[in-house]
């Protein structure tokens, strides 16, 4: 049986003021075509379906389109909530979706959902563990703990995992292997002091663990504990990554093969460096797709007037610009973050600021307070 493992779609995400929805539409279409070609027995989505707890209407519409295209192929889809998702919103209409072969686990309510598929080697049990924090688990046990590792360990220890049959887990946590940390990128939620770490040893009872949370495709401890990574690059720290989905092939018990299928974005994310005149020359501009998302480092020593305007005449999707010369090194680099801030929606800007400062999204009550405050400011401005 084949299983297609993907995660961290972050539908609706904005990067440096640019909406990624058109790029997400194309990359999800690519995953649909891979599903048609590979014919997996199921699609596993390991959390962070949306980028915000309250996704935009356009983001919800895109995910609806994606699920519909998969359901048309009669391939079961299993997905869980990540730390960016609203568990309650993902769970909406979950029982109705099951009739279409779509299985969702958004809220942890003291148990882990399990569904079974069958092939010529017998059953494959698929366990869905949404993103959990110790406080979520403490609500269902007498002994309290602040350890993410202990919380996940106790939840999994209570599962009726049959050692003689094939067991797959979908999870969304920050997983390490014996203290060795995985590769990180700037677009991921900040980890503070390692308190959210879960050691890979808690997954010993599972044949394959489909992880979400980190954006770089990588194995953790063993080949069958894997992050599929995000399908698109969401920060310039990911420029060197090759985005992919993971195709897992389960044979008889103990026989597992994994294959990474590379994804090709409509627009790549890359860095270029040099003098303005050189970068604008047709020979250089034609080396890659000029529509790519760019971080530009200019090395001109003299003052460059309207650098961003000139660059965007050739490269319309310049996201960031900085200078690297003797004068600017003394004064500090210039970036377009202020421009992006002016273009951004104030509510989304405050959401991003709060999440960066507190390592967690705002609650719905906090979001409502911010909306009221912004509405009051707009009314006073009139």
């Amino acid at each position: 049986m084949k299983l297609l493992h993907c995660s961290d779609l972050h539908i609706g995400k904005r990067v440096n003021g640019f909406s990624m929805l058109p790029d997400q539409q194309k990359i999800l279409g690519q995953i649909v075509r891979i599903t048609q070609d590979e014919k997996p027995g199921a699609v596993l989505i390991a959390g962070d379906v949306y980028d915000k707890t309250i996704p935009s209407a356009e983001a919800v519409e895109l995910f609806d389109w994606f699920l519909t295209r998969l359901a048309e192929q009669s391939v079961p889809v299993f997905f869980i909530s990540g730390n960016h998702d609203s568990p309650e919103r993902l769970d909406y209409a979950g029982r109705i979706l099951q009739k279409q072969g779509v299985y969702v686990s958004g809220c942890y309510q003291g148990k882990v959902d399990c569904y079974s598929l069958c092939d010529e080697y017998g059953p494959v049990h698929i366990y869905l563990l949404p993103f959990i924090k110790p406080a979520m688990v403490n609500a269902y046990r007498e002994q309290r703990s602040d350890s993410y590792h202990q919380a996940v360990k106790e939840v999994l220890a209570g599962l009726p995992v049959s050692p003689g049959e094939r067991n797959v887990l979908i999870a969304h946590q920050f997983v390490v292997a014996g203290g060795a940390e995985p590769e990180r990128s700037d677009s991921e939620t900040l980890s503070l002091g390692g308190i959210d770490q879960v050691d890979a040893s808690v997954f010993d009872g599972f044949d394959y663990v489909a992880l979400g949370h980190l954006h770089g495709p990588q194995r953790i401890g063993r080949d069958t504990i894997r992050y599929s990574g995000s399908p698109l690059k969401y920060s310039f720290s990911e420029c060197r990554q090759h985005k992919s989905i993971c195709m897992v092939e389960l044979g008889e018990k103990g026989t597992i093969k994994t294959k990474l299928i590379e994804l090709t974005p409509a627009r790549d994310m890359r860095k270029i460096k040099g003098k303005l005149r050189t970068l604008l020359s047709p020979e250089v501009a034609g080396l890659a797709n000029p529509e790519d998302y760019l971080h530009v480092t200019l090395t001109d020593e003299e003052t460059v007037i309207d650098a961003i305007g000139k660059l965007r005449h050739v490269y319309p999707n310049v996201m960031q610009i900085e200078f690297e010369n003797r004068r600017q090194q003394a004064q500090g680099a210039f970036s377009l973050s202020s421009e992006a801030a002016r273009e951004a929606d104030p509510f989304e800007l405050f959401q991003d600021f709060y999440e960066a400062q507190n390592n967690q999204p705002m609650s719905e009550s906090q979001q409502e307070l911010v909306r009221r405050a912004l509405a009051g400011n707009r009314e006073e401005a009139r």
Side-chain angles (χ1 to χ4, degrees), residues 93-204:
R95 285 186 287 272
I96 296 175
L97 288 174
Q98 287 187 20
K99 296 180 180 180
Q100 302 299 321
V102 178
Y103 304 87
V104 55
S105 181
C107 299
Y108 175 72
Q109 296 179 324
K111 65 182 184 69
V112 176
D113 294 328
C114 179
Y115 304 93
S116 297
L117 304 174
C118 286
D119 63 7
E120 64 268 31
Y121 299 109
V124 175
H125 306 295
I126 300 178
Y127 291 86
L128 279 61
L129 177 64
F131 174 70
I132 58 172
K133 300 178 181 180
M136 299 176 184
V137 180
N138 288 339
Y140 298 94
R141 64 183 182 184
E142 294 182 2
Q143 293 184 335
R144 301 178 63 83
S145 172
D146 294 328
S147 167
Y148 278 71
H149 172 80
Q150 192 63 29
V152 174
K153 182 179 180 180
E154 291 190 15
V155 168
L156 298 182
L159 300 182
V161 177
S162 174
E165 296 177 334
R166 295 166 296 171
N167 301 284
V168 173
L169 176 70
I170 310 175
H172 190 96
Q173 304 290 156
F174 182 69
V175 180
V176 300
E181 293 198 12
E183 176 189 347
R184 303 293 305 273
S185 67
D186 293 343
S187 62
E188 298 156 9
T189 302
L190 181 65
S191 175
L192 296 177
I195 61 172
D196 56 351
Q197 292 183 358
V198 176
D199 191 81
S201 59
V202 301
F203 305 126
D204 286 347

Side-chain angles (χ1 to χ4, degrees), residues 48-322:
D48 279 356
V49 170
Y50 297 113
D51 192 58
K52 303 291 184 185
T53 54
I54 303 180
S56 66
E58 294 80 7
V60 174
E61 182 180 357
L62 177 54
F63 188 52
D64 174 75
W65 175 88
F66 182 53
L67 289 180
T68 302
R69 298 290 85 76
L70 294 176
E72 288 173 350
Q73 300 179 46
S74 299
V75 55
V77 180
F78 301 90
F79 67 95
I80 62 172
S81 62
N83 58 302
H84 279 253
D85 296 310
S86 165
E88 295 80 9
R89 284 184 170 82
L90 279 192
D91 271 338
Y92 176 73
R95 285 186 287 272
I96 296 175
L97 288 174
Q98 287 187 20
K99 296 180 180 180
Q100 302 299 321
V102 178
Y103 304 87
V104 55
S105 181
C107 299
Y108 175 72
Q109 296 179 324
K111 65 182 184 69
V112 176
D113 294 328
C114 179
Y115 304 93
S116 297
L117 304 174
C118 286
D119 63 7
E120 64 268 31
Y121 299 109
V124 175
H125 306 295
I126 300 178
Y127 291 86
L128 279 61
L129 177 64
F131 174 70
I132 58 172
K133 300 178 181 180
M136 299 176 184
V137 180
N138 288 339
Y140 298 94
R141 64 183 182 184
E142 294 182 2
Q143 293 184 335
R144 301 178 63 83
S145 172
D146 294 328
S147 167
Y148 278 71
H149 172 80
Q150 192 63 29
V152 174
K153 182 179 180 180
E154 291 190 15
V155 168
L156 298 182
L159 300 182
V161 177
S162 174
E165 296 177 334
R166 295 166 296 171
N167 301 284
V168 173
L169 176 70
I170 310 175
H172 190 96
Q173 304 290 156
F174 182 69
V175 180
V176 300
E181 293 198 12
E183 176 189 347
R184 303 293 305 273
S185 67
D186 293 343
S187 62
E188 298 156 9
T189 302
L190 181 65
S191 175
L192 296 177
I195 61 172
D196 56 351
Q197 292 183 358
V198 176
D199 191 81
S201 59
V202 301
F203 305 126
D204 286 347
F206 294 92
D207 297 88
Y208 183 78
V209 182
L211 291 173
H213 192 42
L214 302 187
H215 291 182
Q218 56 195 298
R219 66 191 288 274
I220 304 296
R222 56 181 165 97
D223 282 340
T224 53
I225 303 177
R226 301 195 68 93
Y227 284 104
S228 67
S230 60
L232 289 170
K233 298 174 183 179
Y234 290 133
S235 75
F236 287 103
S237 65
E238 301 171 38
C239 279
R240 296 180 181 274
Q241 293 180 1
H242 295 282
K243 298 298 185 179
S244 60
I245 53 93
C246 185
M247 190 64 67
V248 186
E249 186 170 353
L250 301 173
E252 59 184 341
K253 178 72 175 182
T255 303
I256 303 176
K257 297 178 182 178
T258 58
K259 176 178 69 172
L260 300 185
I261 301 178
E262 192 164 336
L263 299 171
T264 304
R267 286 176 282 263
D268 201 358
M269 186 173 285
R270 58 193 179 95
K271 297 180 179 181
I272 59 175
K273 179 178 179 180
K275 293 186 176 181
L276 180 65
R277 184 173 181 177
T278 301
L279 296 179
L280 297 181
S281 67
E283 294 80 7
V284 174
L287 291 178
N289 182 3
E291 298 287 328
D292 286 348
Y293 297 116
L294 298 180
H295 177 287
V296 181
T297 301
L298 293 178
T299 58
D300 300 79
E301 291 292 337
E302 66 276 8
T303 300
V304 179
I305 299 174
D306 191 25
I308 186 62
K310 293 174 180 176
L311 283 166
R312 282 186 170 163
H313 184 71
V314 176
Y315 309 102
N317 296 315
V318 174
M319 284 186 166
Q320 295 178 348
I321 180 175
E322 65 178 7

